[in-house]
mmCIF file of all heavy atoms in Angstrom:
data_model
loop_
_atom_site.group_PDB
_atom_site.id
_atom_site.type_symbol
_atom_site.label_atom_id
_atom_site.label_comp_id
_atom_site.label_asym_id
_atom_site.label_seq_id
_atom_site.Cartn_x
_atom_site.Cartn_y
_atom_site.Cartn_z
ATOM 1 N N ARG B 51 49.359 -5.851 -16.586
ATOM 2 C CA ARG B 51 49.527 -4.519 -16.005
ATOM 3 C C ARG B 51 48.522 -3.530 -16.598
ATOM 4 O O ARG B 51 47.863 -2.784 -15.869
ATOM 5 C CB ARG B 51 50.960 -4.059 -16.308
ATOM 6 C CG ARG B 51 51.395 -2.817 -15.594
ATOM 7 C CD ARG B 51 52.715 -2.337 -16.202
ATOM 8 N NE ARG B 51 53.123 -1.095 -15.583
ATOM 9 C CZ ARG B 51 53.957 -1.012 -14.550
ATOM 10 N NH1 ARG B 51 54.473 -2.096 -14.032
ATOM 11 N NH2 ARG B 51 54.262 0.151 -14.033
ATOM 12 N N ASP B 52 48.379 -3.548 -17.926
ATOM 13 C CA ASP B 52 47.441 -2.647 -18.603
ATOM 14 C C ASP B 52 45.996 -2.940 -18.187
ATOM 15 O O ASP B 52 45.215 -2.025 -17.931
ATOM 16 C CB ASP B 52 47.564 -2.766 -20.131
ATOM 17 C CG ASP B 52 48.893 -2.220 -20.629
ATOM 18 O OD1 ASP B 52 49.588 -1.526 -19.844
ATOM 19 O OD2 ASP B 52 49.256 -2.494 -21.792
ATOM 20 N N ALA B 53 45.659 -4.223 -18.145
ATOM 21 C CA ALA B 53 44.285 -4.616 -17.785
ATOM 22 C C ALA B 53 43.952 -4.160 -16.363
ATOM 23 O O ALA B 53 42.863 -3.636 -16.101
ATOM 24 C CB ALA B 53 44.113 -6.125 -17.905
ATOM 25 N N ILE B 54 44.911 -4.330 -15.444
ATOM 26 C CA ILE B 54 44.685 -3.934 -14.047
ATOM 27 C C ILE B 54 44.583 -2.413 -13.938
ATOM 28 O O ILE B 54 43.699 -1.891 -13.237
ATOM 29 C CB ILE B 54 45.788 -4.504 -13.119
ATOM 30 C CG1 ILE B 54 45.616 -6.023 -13.004
ATOM 31 C CG2 ILE B 54 45.744 -3.853 -11.741
ATOM 32 C CD1 ILE B 54 46.681 -6.732 -12.195
ATOM 33 N N LYS B 55 45.441 -1.700 -14.667
ATOM 34 C CA LYS B 55 45.390 -0.225 -14.658
ATOM 35 C C LYS B 55 44.024 0.280 -15.131
ATOM 36 O O LYS B 55 43.448 1.204 -14.572
ATOM 37 C CB LYS B 55 46.484 0.357 -15.571
ATOM 38 C CG LYS B 55 47.847 0.447 -14.931
ATOM 39 C CD LYS B 55 47.955 1.712 -14.058
ATOM 40 C CE LYS B 55 49.108 1.620 -13.083
ATOM 41 N NZ LYS B 55 48.819 2.179 -11.767
ATOM 42 N N ARG B 56 43.521 -0.332 -16.225
ATOM 43 C CA ARG B 56 42.208 0.071 -16.751
ATOM 44 C C ARG B 56 41.104 -0.200 -15.731
ATOM 45 O O ARG B 56 40.220 0.619 -15.522
ATOM 46 C CB ARG B 56 41.900 -0.681 -18.050
ATOM 47 C CG ARG B 56 42.239 0.086 -19.332
ATOM 48 C CD ARG B 56 41.533 -0.497 -20.547
ATOM 49 N NE ARG B 56 41.745 -1.944 -20.678
ATOM 50 C CZ ARG B 56 42.828 -2.509 -21.213
ATOM 51 N NH1 ARG B 56 43.815 -1.765 -21.668
ATOM 52 N NH2 ARG B 56 42.933 -3.829 -21.280
ATOM 53 N N ALA B 57 41.177 -1.378 -15.108
ATOM 54 C CA ALA B 57 40.158 -1.736 -14.109
ATOM 55 C C ALA B 57 40.209 -0.766 -12.922
ATOM 56 O O ALA B 57 39.172 -0.297 -12.444
ATOM 57 C CB ALA B 57 40.374 -3.174 -13.640
ATOM 58 N N GLU B 58 41.428 -0.445 -12.478
ATOM 59 C CA GLU B 58 41.591 0.505 -11.368
ATOM 60 C C GLU B 58 40.955 1.846 -11.716
ATOM 61 O O GLU B 58 40.278 2.463 -10.891
ATOM 62 C CB GLU B 58 43.079 0.761 -11.097
ATOM 63 C CG GLU B 58 43.787 -0.332 -10.350
ATOM 64 C CD GLU B 58 45.264 -0.014 -10.151
ATOM 65 O OE1 GLU B 58 45.723 1.073 -10.589
ATOM 66 O OE2 GLU B 58 45.950 -0.854 -9.559
ATOM 67 N N GLN B 59 41.201 2.277 -12.960
ATOM 68 C CA GLN B 59 40.657 3.561 -13.402
ATOM 69 C C GLN B 59 39.127 3.531 -13.398
ATOM 70 O O GLN B 59 38.485 4.470 -12.931
ATOM 71 C CB GLN B 59 41.184 3.866 -14.805
ATOM 72 C CG GLN B 59 41.049 5.329 -15.177
ATOM 73 C CD GLN B 59 41.546 5.592 -16.597
ATOM 74 O OE1 GLN B 59 42.249 4.764 -17.186
ATOM 75 N NE2 GLN B 59 41.162 6.737 -17.140
ATOM 76 N N GLN B 60 38.558 2.416 -13.868
ATOM 77 C CA GLN B 60 37.097 2.318 -13.885
ATOM 78 C C GLN B 60 36.509 2.357 -12.478
ATOM 79 O O GLN B 60 35.524 3.031 -12.224
ATOM 80 C CB GLN B 60 36.658 1.015 -14.566
ATOM 81 C CG GLN B 60 36.532 1.157 -16.069
ATOM 82 C CD GLN B 60 36.177 -0.180 -16.706
ATOM 83 O OE1 GLN B 60 37.031 -0.802 -17.322
ATOM 84 N NE2 GLN B 60 34.950 -0.613 -16.542
ATOM 85 N N LEU B 61 37.149 1.621 -11.552
ATOM 86 C CA LEU B 61 36.664 1.603 -10.166
ATOM 87 C C LEU B 61 36.745 3.004 -9.554
ATOM 88 O O LEU B 61 35.824 3.454 -8.866
ATOM 89 C CB LEU B 61 37.489 0.626 -9.320
ATOM 90 C CG LEU B 61 37.384 -0.867 -9.673
ATOM 91 C CD1 LEU B 61 38.356 -1.682 -8.825
ATOM 92 C CD2 LEU B 61 35.958 -1.372 -9.463
ATOM 93 N N THR B 62 37.856 3.693 -9.829
ATOM 94 C CA THR B 62 38.064 5.027 -9.269
ATOM 95 C C THR B 62 37.044 6.011 -9.853
ATOM 96 O O THR B 62 36.511 6.860 -9.128
ATOM 97 C CB THR B 62 39.507 5.494 -9.552
ATOM 98 O OG1 THR B 62 40.405 4.478 -9.081
ATOM 99 C CG2 THR B 62 39.825 6.797 -8.866
ATOM 100 N N GLU B 63 36.757 5.857 -11.138
ATOM 101 C CA GLU B 63 35.769 6.736 -11.771
ATOM 102 C C GLU B 63 34.356 6.486 -11.225
ATOM 103 O O GLU B 63 33.598 7.429 -10.991
ATOM 104 C CB GLU B 63 35.772 6.534 -13.291
ATOM 105 C CG GLU B 63 36.926 7.266 -13.974
ATOM 106 C CD GLU B 63 37.106 6.863 -15.437
ATOM 107 O OE1 GLU B 63 36.263 6.100 -15.954
ATOM 108 O OE2 GLU B 63 38.094 7.313 -16.044
ATOM 109 N N MET B 64 34.033 5.211 -11.017
ATOM 110 C CA MET B 64 32.720 4.882 -10.441
ATOM 111 C C MET B 64 32.565 5.563 -9.081
ATOM 112 O O MET B 64 31.521 6.127 -8.760
ATOM 113 C CB MET B 64 32.584 3.364 -10.244
ATOM 114 C CG MET B 64 32.436 2.542 -11.492
ATOM 115 S SD MET B 64 30.760 2.585 -12.204
ATOM 116 C CE MET B 64 29.842 1.650 -10.989
ATOM 117 N N GLU B 65 33.615 5.487 -8.265
ATOM 118 C CA GLU B 65 33.548 6.073 -6.932
ATOM 119 C C GLU B 65 33.480 7.595 -7.007
ATOM 120 O O GLU B 65 32.752 8.230 -6.240
ATOM 121 C CB GLU B 65 34.746 5.623 -6.082
ATOM 122 C CG GLU B 65 34.808 6.236 -4.688
ATOM 123 C CD GLU B 65 33.611 5.947 -3.796
ATOM 124 O OE1 GLU B 65 32.715 5.175 -4.171
ATOM 125 O OE2 GLU B 65 33.559 6.540 -2.701
ATOM 126 N N ALA B 66 34.219 8.188 -7.954
ATOM 127 C CA ALA B 66 34.174 9.653 -8.098
ATOM 128 C C ALA B 66 32.755 10.069 -8.472
ATOM 129 O O ALA B 66 32.255 11.104 -8.047
ATOM 130 C CB ALA B 66 35.157 10.100 -9.173
ATOM 131 N N CYS B 67 32.095 9.240 -9.258
ATOM 132 C CA CYS B 67 30.747 9.526 -9.748
ATOM 133 C C CYS B 67 29.692 9.280 -8.663
ATOM 134 O O CYS B 67 28.823 10.107 -8.425
ATOM 135 C CB CYS B 67 30.500 8.612 -10.947
ATOM 136 S SG CYS B 67 29.251 9.198 -12.064
ATOM 137 N N LEU B 68 29.765 8.145 -7.989
ATOM 138 C CA LEU B 68 28.683 7.726 -7.081
ATOM 139 C C LEU B 68 28.999 7.934 -5.600
ATOM 140 O O LEU B 68 28.080 8.147 -4.800
ATOM 141 C CB LEU B 68 28.336 6.246 -7.310
ATOM 142 C CG LEU B 68 27.902 5.866 -8.733
ATOM 143 C CD1 LEU B 68 27.593 4.371 -8.810
ATOM 144 C CD2 LEU B 68 26.664 6.667 -9.168
ATOM 145 N N GLY B 69 30.268 7.836 -5.217
ATOM 146 C CA GLY B 69 30.661 8.062 -3.821
ATOM 147 C C GLY B 69 30.052 7.098 -2.813
ATOM 148 O O GLY B 69 29.938 7.411 -1.631
ATOM 149 N N LEU B 70 29.653 5.910 -3.263
ATOM 150 C CA LEU B 70 28.967 4.981 -2.355
ATOM 151 C C LEU B 70 29.934 4.300 -1.384
ATOM 152 O O LEU B 70 29.560 4.004 -0.251
ATOM 153 C CB LEU B 70 28.179 3.944 -3.155
ATOM 154 C CG LEU B 70 27.073 4.561 -4.026
ATOM 155 C CD1 LEU B 70 26.417 3.507 -4.894
ATOM 156 C CD2 LEU B 70 26.022 5.258 -3.170
ATOM 157 N N ALA B 71 31.166 4.093 -1.800
ATOM 158 C CA ALA B 71 32.156 3.500 -0.894
ATOM 159 C C ALA B 71 32.426 4.457 0.273
ATOM 160 O O ALA B 71 32.514 4.033 1.420
ATOM 161 C CB ALA B 71 33.445 3.184 -1.641
ATOM 162 N N ARG B 72 32.506 5.755 -0.030
ATOM 163 C CA ARG B 72 32.704 6.761 1.016
ATOM 164 C C ARG B 72 31.518 6.758 1.982
ATOM 165 O O ARG B 72 31.683 6.781 3.206
ATOM 166 C CB ARG B 72 32.878 8.147 0.386
ATOM 167 C CG ARG B 72 33.126 9.276 1.378
ATOM 168 C CD ARG B 72 33.079 10.655 0.732
ATOM 169 N NE ARG B 72 31.896 10.882 -0.070
ATOM 170 C CZ ARG B 72 30.663 11.093 0.408
ATOM 171 N NH1 ARG B 72 30.445 11.114 1.711
ATOM 172 N NH2 ARG B 72 29.642 11.271 -0.414
ATOM 173 N N ARG B 73 30.298 6.707 1.430
ATOM 174 C CA ARG B 73 29.107 6.680 2.292
ATOM 175 C C ARG B 73 29.115 5.459 3.200
ATOM 176 O O ARG B 73 28.755 5.539 4.370
ATOM 177 C CB ARG B 73 27.823 6.696 1.446
ATOM 178 C CG ARG B 73 27.451 8.094 0.972
ATOM 179 C CD ARG B 73 26.331 8.085 -0.052
ATOM 180 N NE ARG B 73 25.012 7.865 0.522
ATOM 181 C CZ ARG B 73 23.866 7.951 -0.199
ATOM 182 N NH1 ARG B 73 23.913 8.257 -1.482
ATOM 183 N NH2 ARG B 73 22.707 7.734 0.367
ATOM 184 N N PHE B 74 29.536 4.303 2.657
ATOM 185 C CA PHE B 74 29.607 3.095 3.468
ATOM 186 C C PHE B 74 30.665 3.218 4.555
ATOM 187 O O PHE B 74 30.469 2.799 5.682
ATOM 188 C CB PHE B 74 29.929 1.883 2.592
ATOM 189 C CG PHE B 74 28.720 1.045 2.345
ATOM 190 C CD1 PHE B 74 27.972 1.226 1.206
ATOM 191 C CD2 PHE B 74 28.315 0.104 3.274
ATOM 192 C CE1 PHE B 74 26.836 0.488 0.974
ATOM 193 C CE2 PHE B 74 27.180 -0.658 3.055
ATOM 194 C CZ PHE B 74 26.437 -0.468 1.897
ATOM 195 N N ARG B 75 31.801 3.805 4.193
ATOM 196 C CA ARG B 75 32.881 3.952 5.177
ATOM 197 C C ARG B 75 32.411 4.848 6.335
ATOM 198 O O ARG B 75 32.700 4.566 7.498
ATOM 199 C CB ARG B 75 34.121 4.535 4.504
ATOM 200 C CG ARG B 75 35.309 4.579 5.411
ATOM 201 C CD ARG B 75 36.573 4.938 4.652
ATOM 202 N NE ARG B 75 37.101 3.807 3.924
ATOM 203 C CZ ARG B 75 37.894 3.899 2.854
ATOM 204 N NH1 ARG B 75 38.219 5.084 2.375
ATOM 205 N NH2 ARG B 75 38.353 2.819 2.257
ATOM 206 N N GLU B 76 31.672 5.893 6.006
ATOM 207 C CA GLU B 76 31.136 6.765 7.064
ATOM 208 C C GLU B 76 30.175 5.982 7.972
ATOM 209 O O GLU B 76 30.170 6.169 9.185
ATOM 210 C CB GLU B 76 30.417 7.964 6.442
ATOM 211 C CG GLU B 76 31.390 9.005 5.902
ATOM 212 C CD GLU B 76 30.718 10.065 5.033
ATOM 213 O OE1 GLU B 76 29.465 10.064 4.925
ATOM 214 O OE2 GLU B 76 31.448 10.878 4.442
ATOM 215 N N MET B 77 29.355 5.114 7.355
ATOM 216 C CA MET B 77 28.446 4.268 8.136
ATOM 217 C C MET B 77 29.243 3.396 9.104
ATOM 218 O O MET B 77 28.921 3.297 10.286
ATOM 219 C CB MET B 77 27.655 3.339 7.199
ATOM 220 C CG MET B 77 26.515 4.011 6.484
ATOM 221 S SD MET B 77 25.040 4.083 7.556
ATOM 222 C CE MET B 77 23.845 4.710 6.364
ATOM 223 N N ARG B 78 30.301 2.768 8.587
ATOM 224 C CA ARG B 78 31.123 1.885 9.432
ATOM 225 C C ARG B 78 31.769 2.666 10.571
ATOM 226 O O ARG B 78 31.798 2.200 11.708
ATOM 227 C CB ARG B 78 32.232 1.222 8.595
ATOM 228 C CG ARG B 78 31.723 0.371 7.470
ATOM 229 C CD ARG B 78 31.799 -1.105 7.819
ATOM 230 N NE ARG B 78 30.863 -1.860 7.008
ATOM 231 C CZ ARG B 78 31.188 -2.713 6.028
ATOM 232 N NH1 ARG B 78 32.451 -2.948 5.774
ATOM 233 N NH2 ARG B 78 30.256 -3.355 5.360
ATOM 234 N N ASP B 79 32.299 3.856 10.265
ATOM 235 C CA ASP B 79 32.923 4.674 11.312
ATOM 236 C C ASP B 79 31.898 5.038 12.378
ATOM 237 O O ASP B 79 32.188 5.001 13.576
ATOM 238 C CB ASP B 79 33.513 5.965 10.711
ATOM 239 C CG ASP B 79 34.731 5.677 9.849
ATOM 240 O OD1 ASP B 79 35.225 4.535 9.876
ATOM 241 O OD2 ASP B 79 35.181 6.585 9.129
ATOM 242 N N GLY B 80 30.694 5.401 11.927
ATOM 243 C CA GLY B 80 29.631 5.762 12.866
ATOM 244 C C GLY B 80 29.241 4.582 13.735
ATOM 245 O O GLY B 80 29.049 4.726 14.948
ATOM 246 N N LEU B 81 29.147 3.403 13.134
ATOM 247 C CA LEU B 81 28.792 2.206 13.906
ATOM 248 C C LEU B 81 29.860 1.909 14.951
ATOM 249 O O LEU B 81 29.546 1.486 16.064
ATOM 250 C CB LEU B 81 28.655 0.997 12.973
ATOM 251 C CG LEU B 81 27.353 0.931 12.186
ATOM 252 C CD1 LEU B 81 27.428 -0.183 11.145
ATOM 253 C CD2 LEU B 81 26.163 0.702 13.114
ATOM 254 N N SER B 82 31.097 2.160 14.604
ATOM 255 C CA SER B 82 32.181 1.927 15.539
ATOM 256 C C SER B 82 32.072 2.891 16.732
ATOM 257 O O SER B 82 32.277 2.502 17.890
ATOM 258 C CB SER B 82 33.496 2.075 14.776
ATOM 259 O OG SER B 82 34.539 2.292 15.653
#
Side-chain angles (χ1 to χ4, degrees):
Chain B
R51 190 191 177 94
D52 292 346
I54 290 176
K55 278 278 162 219
R56 264 198 308 278
E58 283 179 1
Q59 198 182 344
Q60 273 177 254
L61 294 175
T62 307
E63 281 169 6
M64 289 282 290
E65 177 60 5
C67 203
L68 302 180
L70 298 175
R72 181 189 51 73
R73 279 170 77 173
F74 256 95
R75 186 170 282 157
E76 284 168 6
M77 282 277 187
R78 300 258 158 110
D79 290 350
L81 282 171
S82 161

